[in-house]
Amino acid sequence: MRSQMERAEAFRELHARPGAFIIPNPWDAGTAKLLGAMGFEALATTSLGLANTLGSVTVSLDAIIENCRVIAEATDLPVNADLENCGADDPKTAARAITRAAEAGVVGGSIEDFSGDPRRPIYDFSLAVERVQAAVEAARALPFPFTLTARAENFLHGRKDLDDTIKRLQAFEAAGADVLYSPGLYDLATIRTVVSSVGKPFNLVMGFADPTLTLPQLADAGVKRISVGGAMERYALAAFLKCAREMKERGAFTYVRDMAPIAEVRAAFR
């Protein structure tokens, strides 16, 4: 296994080289190993995928950190952590999640401006920036180059304000974030507008974007990193539900024809 320093440096290199790369989102050790066996170069956790596997609508920071540990130990690849709002409103308290994630073995992670409060879902601008600043300080205090991603969540929570989203991303960049991210962007024109407004690498999540977009198109638009969030886990759930409905409604089992080959699975798990 590569050391955490080696994985951190490899992750930085992915963001520095020309073009874009795909960073898929496993939700447990098995899916992490399968993706590694397929040749992906880095992985990212998914808090939504984790919550679904736990049968919950929400997920605690402790559960997120434990999931980080499980996935980081299952693979030799760099792992980026979806840390949601880092489990706290207060900047210094939230920043501790960066340290905890690093201790769990990941080499990158995110902090977002979604508060978790449905009444006021997005942190006020000044507090959002302070939280990123605190996370940057925590990341820079680590003994390896932790890649910090700052997320502007407007588009996911009913605030389709492009100007404010860009303002936030630019402020997060100025605060020292290494990667910028605004989930919920859909069309290529809007993606180009946002990417061209910042100077740091931009992460696009395909779980909410136009599904007809391709890696070459996104690379041409300036996107550096392409994740899928909980999309793969939700797709797996869709297959599970299809199997269950076939048995319950038809008393049939034709889905077994499409099972993953056990040899391929075991080869990835060795």
Side-chain angles (χ1 to χ4, degrees), residues 79-134:
V79 176
N80 185 80
D82 172 5
L83 298 172
E84 296 194 333
N85 76 335
C86 289
D89 300 326
D90 173 68
K92 290 185 179 180
T93 305
R96 292 179 193 144
I98 303 300
T99 306
R100 291 185 63 192
E103 291 171 347
V106 304
V107 297
S110 60
I111 183 169
E112 61 189 46
D113 60 4
F114 173 55
S115 68
D117 181 351
R119 296 167 300 178
R120 299 187 65 181
I122 305 297
Y123 289 117
D124 291 340
F125 177 79
S126 59
L127 177 57
V129 175
E130 288 176 18
R131 285 164 45 81
V132 174
Q133 290 171 333

Side-chain angles (χ1 to χ4, degrees), residues 11 68 78-83 101-102 105-110 144-149 225:
F11 198 41
C68 288
V79 176
N80 185 80
D82 172 5
L83 298 172
V106 304
V107 297
S110 60
F144 64 89
F146 187 96
T147 298
L148 181 74
T149 298
R225 195 172 82 188

Side-chain angles (χ1 to χ4, degrees), residues 12-205:
R12 284 295 178 102
E13 176 57 30
L14 288 175
H15 291 82
R17 75 185 187 190
F21 68 97
I22 297 172
I23 181 168
N25 301 74
W27 52 93
D28 59 14
T31 50
K33 290 183 177 182
L34 286 166
L35 291 168
M38 293 184 69
F40 286 99
E41 297 176 279
L43 304 174
T45 69
T46 163
S47 60
L48 174 59
L50 173 62
N52 289 343
T53 63
L54 297 175
S56 176
V57 175
T58 60
V59 62
S60 69
L61 180 61
D62 286 344
I64 287 173
I65 296 298
E66 175 60 16
N67 185 242
C68 288
R69 184 193 64 76
V70 168
I71 290 176
E73 289 182 355
T75 180
D76 198 35
L77 298 177
V79 176
N80 185 80
D82 172 5
L83 298 172
E84 296 194 333
N85 76 335
C86 289
D89 300 326
D90 173 68
K92 290 185 179 180
T93 305
R96 292 179 193 144
I98 303 300
T99 306
R100 291 185 63 192
E103 291 171 347
V106 304
V107 297
S110 60
I111 183 169
E112 61 189 46
D113 60 4
F114 173 55
S115 68
D117 181 351
R119 296 167 300 178
R120 299 187 65 181
I122 305 297
Y123 289 117
D124 291 340
F125 177 79
S126 59
L127 177 57
V129 175
E130 288 176 18
R131 285 164 45 81
V132 174
Q133 290 171 333
V136 168
E137 290 177 8
R140 300 297 174 262
L142 295 169
F144 64 89
F146 187 96
T147 298
L148 181 74
T149 298
R151 299 173 43 149
E153 302 282 301
N154 276 339
F155 275 67
L156 282 192
H157 300 284
R159 290 180 43 162
K160 295 192 176 181
D161 186 334
L162 188 59
D163 290 339
D164 183 67
T165 297
I166 290 173
K167 176 184 175 182
R168 286 169 179 264
L169 293 174
Q170 290 174 336
F172 298 164
E173 178 178 5
D178 302 301
V179 177
L180 303 167
Y181 184 179
S182 181
L185 303 183
Y186 184 82
D187 61 280
L188 197 58
T190 303
I191 292 166
R192 284 185 185 275
T193 297
V194 173
V195 172
S196 65
S197 72
V198 296
K200 293 288 181 69
F202 186 83
N203 182 105
L204 181 80
V205 59

Side-chain angles (χ1 to χ4, degrees), residues 224-247:
K224 175 58 62 177
R225 195 172 82 188
I226 303 164
S227 60
V228 294
M232 293 179 73
E233 195 273 344
R234 289 173 63 191
Y235 187 88
L237 281 181
F240 177 89
L241 290 170
K242 182 179 179 180
C243 297
R245 290 190 181 106
E246 181 181 11
M247 292 187 291

